[in-house]
């Protein structure tokens, strides 16, 4: 514990090793994962890294720059792990699943990219999708709409799931399993004459897997691509 002085509590000891941009970004990612965007403040970051504001500002402009850089780092991992020499159908499936999993593991990433869709790393993702669509024979005139629809689907589903996870984590709401069981109970009680599909789907709602359901959507999308040839 730091000793008190006549002017108040002494500052915490400063770190002896050099502070790199990579170390700052990694610490920011950990803070964002554990507490969301509200948890990431430059003050909290200086405490975590045992450093001062000057050392932080030497590497990043402000919180917005740090948040964007942290999101870039997460998606860069997705792109670096993408399989480029596989069958384009399998590669596109793996690429979209990689983005879904990244946002699922780091819920704040989806919100950040919705604010700055022009970030180079997201453009790299779009470019990767475009190349794979070309390899799958999607006509050039349809490629923009197809790529946009697919990426919007991935970002939309992932962000929706991430938002639900954040709400449950920050409140007294039940966990996902309990929430779905409650929802399934409500669906099972609706009038089957008016809502035949909803009533029948109640048996699947409580036990479905979000990741598997996401992949079903991707597969349906990819199957539809063949009609564009």
């Amino acid at each position: 514990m730091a000793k008190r002085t006549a002017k108040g509590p002494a500052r915490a000891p400063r770190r002896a090793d050099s502070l790199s941009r990579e170390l700052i970004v990694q610490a920011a990612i950990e803070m964002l994962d554990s507490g969301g965007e509200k948890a990431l403040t430059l003050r909290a970051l200086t405490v975590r890294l045992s450093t001062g504001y000057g050392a932080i500002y030497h590497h990043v402009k402000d919180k917005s720059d740090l948040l964007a850089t942290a999101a870039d780092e997460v998606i860069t991992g997705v792109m670096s792990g993408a399989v480029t020499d596989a069958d384009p159908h399998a590669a596109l499936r793996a690429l979209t699943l990689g983005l879904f999993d990244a946002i699922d593991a780091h819920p704040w990433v989806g919100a950040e990219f919705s604010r700055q869709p022009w970030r180079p790393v997201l453009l790299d993702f779009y470019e990767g999708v475009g190349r794979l669509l070309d390899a799958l024979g999607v006509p050039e005139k349809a490629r923009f709409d197809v790529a946009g629809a697919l990426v919007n689907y991935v970002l939309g589903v992932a962000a929706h799931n991430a938002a639900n996870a954040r709400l449950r984590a920050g409140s007294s709401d039940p966990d996902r399993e309990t929430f779905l069981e409650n929802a399934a109970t409500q669906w099972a009680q609706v009038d089957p004459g008016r809502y035949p599909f909803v009533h029948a789907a109640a048996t699947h709602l409580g036990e479905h897997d979000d990741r598997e359901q996401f992949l079903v959507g991707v597969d349906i999308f990819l199957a539809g691509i063949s009609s564009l040839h």
Side-chain angles (χ1 to χ4, degrees), residues 97-98 152:
L97 181 60
N152 286 338

Side-chain angles (χ1 to χ4, degrees), residues 140-192:
E140 192 279 332
K141 64 180 181 180
R143 212 170 297 152
F144 171 77
D145 289 334
V146 173
L150 179 57
V151 174
N152 286 338
Y153 168 71
V154 178
L155 292 176
V157 174
H160 175 74
N161 289 344
N164 287 340
R166 286 197 303 270
L167 288 175
R168 289 194 299 271
S171 69
S172 59
D173 290 343
D175 58 27
R176 177 185 180 278
E177 183 178 354
T178 303
F179 175 82
L180 290 178
E181 288 177 354
N182 292 339
T185 299
Q186 295 297 320
W187 279 26
Q189 295 175 355
V190 301
D191 179 4

Side-chain angles (χ1 to χ4, degrees), residues 209-223:
D209 182 276
D210 291 332
R211 193 171 188 265
E212 291 180 1
Q213 190 176 61
F214 166 78
L215 280 174
V216 169
V218 173
D219 288 340
I220 291 172
F221 186 94
L222 291 175

Side-chain angles (χ1 to χ4, degrees), residues 1 30 35 42 49 63 66 69 73-74 78 80 104 140 160 163 169-170 193-194 200:
M1 180 180 294
E30 292 171 359
L42 293 183
L49 294 173
K63 177 180 176 178
L66 179 56
T69 302
E73 182 69 17
V74 171
V78 174
S80 63
D104 186 59
E140 192 279 332
H160 175 74
R194 182 176 181 181

Side-chain angles (χ1 to χ4, degrees), residues 100-123:
F100 175 88
D101 285 342
I103 296 177
D104 186 59
H106 310 280
W108 47 274
V109 170
E112 176 58 23
F113 280 130
S114 68
R115 289 191 289 264
Q116 300 190 57
W118 55 84
R119 297 290 299 179
V121 70
L122 192 56
L123 297 181

